Amino acid sequence: MTSLAKPSPLMPSEFPLDMPAQDFARPFEDEDAPKTKEARHAALWRIVTFSPAMLATAALGWVMQGWFADGGVTWLETVLLALIIFNFFWICFSVSTVLLGLYSLSQREQTTSEIEGAPMRVALLVPVYNEVPWYVLGNAQSMLEELSSRECAHSYDMFILSDTRDEELAVQEEQSVIALRAMLPAGSALYYRRRVENTDRKVGNIHDWVTRWGGAYDAMLVLDADSLMTGQAIGRLADALARDPAAGLIQSYPQLIGAQSVFGRMQQFANTVYGLALAEGLARWAGHEGNYWGHNAIMRTRAFAACAGLPHLRDLRGKKQVIMSHDFVEAGLLRRAGWSVRFLPRIKGSYEETPQTLIDHIQRDRRWCQGNLQHIKLLNARGFRAISRFHLLHGAIGYLMAPIWFALLVIWALIGRGEDASVLTYFSEKNPTMPSWPDMTEPRHVLVILLIYAMLLAPKMLSVLALPLTGRQFREYGGAGQFLVSMLSEVILAVLYAPILMVQQMIAVLRTLLGLQKGWSPQARDGGSYSLRTILQVHILETLSGAALWVGIIAGVISIWLVPIALSLLLAVPLSALSGMTIRDRIHRWMGTHDHFVEPQITQAARSYRLQMRRYLEGKAQTPAE
């Protein structure tokens, strides 16, 4: 995977480390991984989490099967039941995970003040690909200055690992690094390397660093171009790795910051308010078999090199391709080799940004879909732990749920308002095998529909109840009244955007299966600006689907329960345009989070440093400090 790099005085002497590609057809165990007993409590938490979801799903399936039993169950009814049961399990699983998270948050966090392990030399790795240089270096400067101002048991060096193809941006990257190196406090180390060829994208970028410089570092903390971590958060991750010799990787919980658009604020509010309870539940049942999300995580360099080298996979046409969503796979490989993978959601000060518009989110989602569907091929990899396989499956299911929900929507629309009004009846009036659909307006069926909607909202409501357990207070969100307005706004917007995202994820799955999704492109950090024509092109399928549903509803052949979905799909274009609207000063409190009302010092510093570096690169200042 390693590609040639331009010789540069901006890098230290090489210290090679071997990183062989792993074989998924053979199990592998790292002899250097400490032999530890499996934690029994993790198995208990898994039973507590999975069992209620399975029991509730089985109960719903049994009840609904009885509704279709009269006259025998046809193949179409069987398909419908299977789709409902499959979807309901994942809904229930989210609820039970949040409930476990509530219990976890009620328990006092165990802290260790003294470092039991030896101090480590840690590399902070920032892979970049055609990113805005002043943005990346502004973040880098704020993190390095925070680390230099703290008493650190560990030493830290930062590497900007460039895969940038744009020559103008590459020149600016190098200029920025040279200028910043001259400004950093004594003891801070900043290095820069640009590869001649970006072989294997981010996987190859990290592989190149590991095999050429990785031997000099005990640990590496991988960041994204938009990642921002306080010195305390970085130190806590390093301390946790030093204390646990069995840990191969420790993942923090990145919180979203910097959102200024309607869609960005919605995502940020949901991540901050609802996300922690879900993260706590996940950390409990995953135990030492957690997952990796590709950034804001620290790992033991030699363990990663020995156990997580990625081979190529073959696509449906037999062509070799790099593993796109490499993070899930690397976590599985580390666990397979005997290293633990932990998730510490209570480490505060780990941040990232989110796409600012619906279209930007869709573009990123298509890339993630392409990578996550690759994981299906690895479910039978030799030696993978059961939970690692579940993480891989769950990542793929997150996208496969979209066509499943869409299939449910189509069948439900065809069922209509009972046998007499069903579209299927009109099409199959003389067909003796025509299913005798139950009337979906009956009270018992209405209760089930309401139950499904309630279960979809339950994780949000439970997370709000858990908010005091996280140490947060409503006044940190602008007061109880402002919090209520923000929460209701987020729920309404989430309901409106959910059907649009369902259709777009279905398109992403089809694009991936047909080989139409090609590669990765850099994220638009500030959000793209899209014309009405572009928005129409992106959302034409949703608009047509919504119009068709409304025709059916008005004609009385489609259930009135589909009105919210029909409204969302019909309004896909204006909703997409709304998503990118900037939140103005008068309503700046709307869907604000605690980090919005009391901005962390590091985000203030990063914003200032970005502006200074931008002025320098644009020739408006002689040095970035001006």
Side-chain angles (χ1 to χ4, degrees):
M1 286 184 187
T2 304
S3 63
L4 296 176
K6 292 181 179 179
S8 171
L10 300 178
M11 288 296 287
S13 300
E14 294 191 11
F15 201 129
L17 187 61
D18 190 30
M19 188 173 182
Q22 296 298 305
D23 186 352
F24 293 120
R26 297 181 180 181
F28 174 76
E29 186 173 345
D30 188 357
E31 295 179 355
D32 293 331
K35 309 300 180 186
T36 57
K37 293 183 179 180
E38 297 292 335
R40 293 183 179 179
H41 61 268
L44 172 62
W45 297 132
R46 289 166 193 169
I47 293 172
V48 168
T49 307
F50 283 80
S51 296
M54 291 188 290
L55 289 173
T57 304
L60 179 71
W62 177 260
V63 170
M64 293 198 71
Q65 186 272 340
W67 297 347
F68 290 99
D70 294 340
V73 180
T74 68
W75 68 269
L76 190 57
E77 290 171 334
T78 302
V79 170
L80 177 63
L81 282 170
L83 293 176
I84 292 173
I85 290 170
F86 184 82
N87 277 290
F88 194 70
F89 169 78
W90 295 105
I91 296 171
C92 291
F93 181 69
S94 295
V95 175
S96 57
T97 299
V98 170
L99 286 170
L100 180 60
L102 262 67
Y103 168 79
S104 180
L105 287 168
S106 69
Q107 305 301 299
R108 182 174 299 177
E109 182 180 14
Q110 295 181 353
T111 58
T112 305
S113 57
E114 297 182 0
I115 300 174
E116 300 172 2
M120 300 185 302
R121 192 178 183 197
V122 182
L124 309 178
L125 307 184
V126 186
V128 296
Y129 175 75
N130 287 351
E131 299 285 350
V132 179
W134 54 262
Y135 188 99
V136 175
L137 272 297
N139 282 5
Q141 183 175 357
S142 60
M143 287 186 280
L144 287 171
E145 290 202 350
E146 277 234 350
L147 287 170
S148 68
S149 66
R150 299 180 73 250
E151 291 186 6
C152 300
H154 315 285
S155 62
Y156 301 94
D157 296 345
M158 179 174 284
F159 290 80
I160 308 297
L161 304 178
S162 175
D163 261 351
T164 295
R165 301 297 91 200
D166 186 303
E167 292 297 332
E168 183 178 350
L169 286 178
V171 170
Q172 291 183 354
E173 285 175 355
E174 189 164 345
Q175 288 176 344
S176 303
V177 170
I178 292 172
L180 185 52
R181 280 164 61 105
M183 297 168 49
L184 288 174
S188 297
L190 175 65
Y191 300 108
Y192 172 80
R193 183 272 284 132
R194 182 189 175 211
R195 291 199 296 170
V196 174
E197 297 179 2
N198 64 330
T199 307
D200 288 347
R201 301 183 176 90
K202 185 178 178 180
V203 170
N205 199 355
I206 298 295
H207 182 276
D208 178 77
W209 180 87
V210 170
T211 55
R212 298 177 65 192
W213 294 278
Y217 294 89
D218 303 295
M220 57 190 216
L221 195 158
V222 179
L223 301 161
D224 256 1
D226 64 346
S227 292
L228 194 61
M229 295 187 71
T230 63
Q232 183 182 37
I234 293 172
R236 288 191 65 186
L237 275 179
D239 290 348
L241 191 70
R243 285 195 300 266
D244 187 356
L249 185 150
I250 301 179
Q251 173 73 63
S252 70
Y253 175 55
Q255 291 193 289
L256 299 181
I257 55 168
Q260 296 300 326
S261 67
V262 171
F263 189 80
R265 281 286 183 89
M266 181 190 80
Q267 297 282 86
Q268 182 174 291
F269 186 86
N271 165 268
T272 305
V273 177
Y274 313 137
L276 190 55
L278 186 66
E280 280 285 336
L282 169 61
R284 279 275 175 172
W285 64 253
H288 287 83
E289 296 181 316
N291 209 355
Y292 172 38
W293 299 325
H295 56 88
N296 295 34
I298 194 169
M299 57 202 77
R300 208 172 298 278
T301 309
R302 293 188 179 276
F304 187 81
C307 311
L310 297 180
H312 288 96
L313 293 180
R314 294 190 180 276
D315 59 17
L316 296 176
R317 300 168 185 170
K319 184 179 178 181
K320 286 186 177 181
Q321 59 180 188
V322 67
I323 296 177
M324 298 291 192
S325 294
H326 54 90
D327 38 14
F328 285 39
V329 183
E330 289 160 346
L333 288 171
L334 282 167
R335 191 69 196 105
R336 176 180 81 159
W339 295 96
S340 67
V341 178
R342 297 171 55 197
F343 178 33
L344 301 181
R346 297 196 194 187
I347 290 182
K348 297 179 180 179
S350 179
Y351 303 108
E352 65 172 330
E353 295 193 358
T354 186
Q356 298 292 322
T357 72
L358 179 60
I359 291 181
D360 290 320
H361 177 87
I362 289 167
Q363 290 175 342
R364 186 184 70 174
D365 226 31
R366 288 180 178 178
R367 299 194 302 268
W368 286 3
C369 176
Q370 182 185 10
N372 284 21
L373 291 187
Q374 282 183 321
H375 295 165
I376 296 174
K377 302 176 184 178
L378 300 177
L379 292 177
N380 63 346
R382 296 291 302 280
F384 270 33
R385 306 297 178 96
I387 293 298
S388 296
R389 296 183 203 276
F390 181 80
H391 289 314
L392 293 173
L393 176 64
H394 192 260
I397 289 296
Y399 290 94
L400 294 176
M401 288 280 284
I404 292 173
W405 272 110
F406 192 80
L408 264 176
L409 174 63
V410 171
I411 294 176
W412 196 357
L414 293 177
I415 290 174
R417 299 172 59 189
E419 183 180 359
D420 295 336
S422 173
V423 175
L424 284 176
T425 302
Y426 297 153
F427 289 163
S428 312
E429 187 174 355
K430 297 181 180 179
N431 186 350
T433 63
M434 170 62 206
S436 178
W437 298 106
D439 183 1
M440 299 305 289
T441 60
E442 290 183 16
R444 59 178 182 171
H445 301 145
V446 171
L447 287 175
V448 169
I449 294 169
L450 292 175
L451 172 65
I452 293 175
Y453 281 148
M455 293 291 281
L456 286 169
L457 289 174
K460 295 178 185 286
M461 301 301 105
L462 291 171
S463 297
V464 171
L465 294 177
L467 197 62
L469 298 176
T470 67
R472 300 294 181 187
Q473 298 179 355
F474 291 123
R475 61 180 174 81
E476 296 179 66
Y477 294 85
Q482 179 62 53
F483 179 86
L484 180 61
V485 170
S486 296
M487 186 188 74
L488 290 175
S489 299
E490 189 281 331
V491 169
I492 292 170
L493 287 172
V495 169
L496 287 172
Y497 283 118
I500 301 172
L501 291 171
M502 171 194 69
V503 173
Q504 286 295 333
Q505 286 187 337
M506 182 188 69
I507 293 172
V509 171
L510 294 176
R511 285 173 60 92
T512 299
L513 295 178
L514 296 174
L516 300 178
Q517 182 65 31
K518 302 293 183 183
W520 304 65
S521 58
Q523 180 175 310
R525 302 293 175 192
D526 295 327
S529 178
Y530 301 101
S531 66
L532 179 59
R533 180 178 179 180
T534 299
I535 298 175
L536 281 168
Q537 289 175 339
V538 171
H539 298 294
I540 186 64
L541 181 57
E542 297 99 294
T543 304
L544 294 176
S545 301
L549 283 175
W550 272 109
V551 169
I553 292 170
I554 293 171
V557 297
I558 290 180
S559 172
I560 197 171
W561 287 101
L562 296 183
V563 164
I565 296 174
L567 179 65
S568 168
L569 295 178
L570 187 65
L571 297 178
V573 170
L575 284 171
S576 186
L578 171 69
S579 73
M581 290 182 62
T582 302
I583 296 179
R584 302 298 178 185
D585 293 341
R586 289 185 179 180
I587 57 170
H588 74 97
R589 298 163 61 89
W590 187 43
M591 291 191 290
T593 62
H594 54 86
D595 288 331
H596 171 77
F597 290 107
V598 183
E599 186 178 10
Q601 182 178 350
I602 192 169
T603 62
Q604 296 180 48
R607 187 172 60 254
S608 174
Y609 292 146
R610 289 174 202 155
L611 179 60
Q612 292 173 9
M613 187 63 71
R614 182 177 187 176
R615 289 174 56 83
Y616 168 72
L617 292 174
E618 291 175 349
K620 297 178 181 178
Q622 302 245 336
T623 68
E626 293 183 65

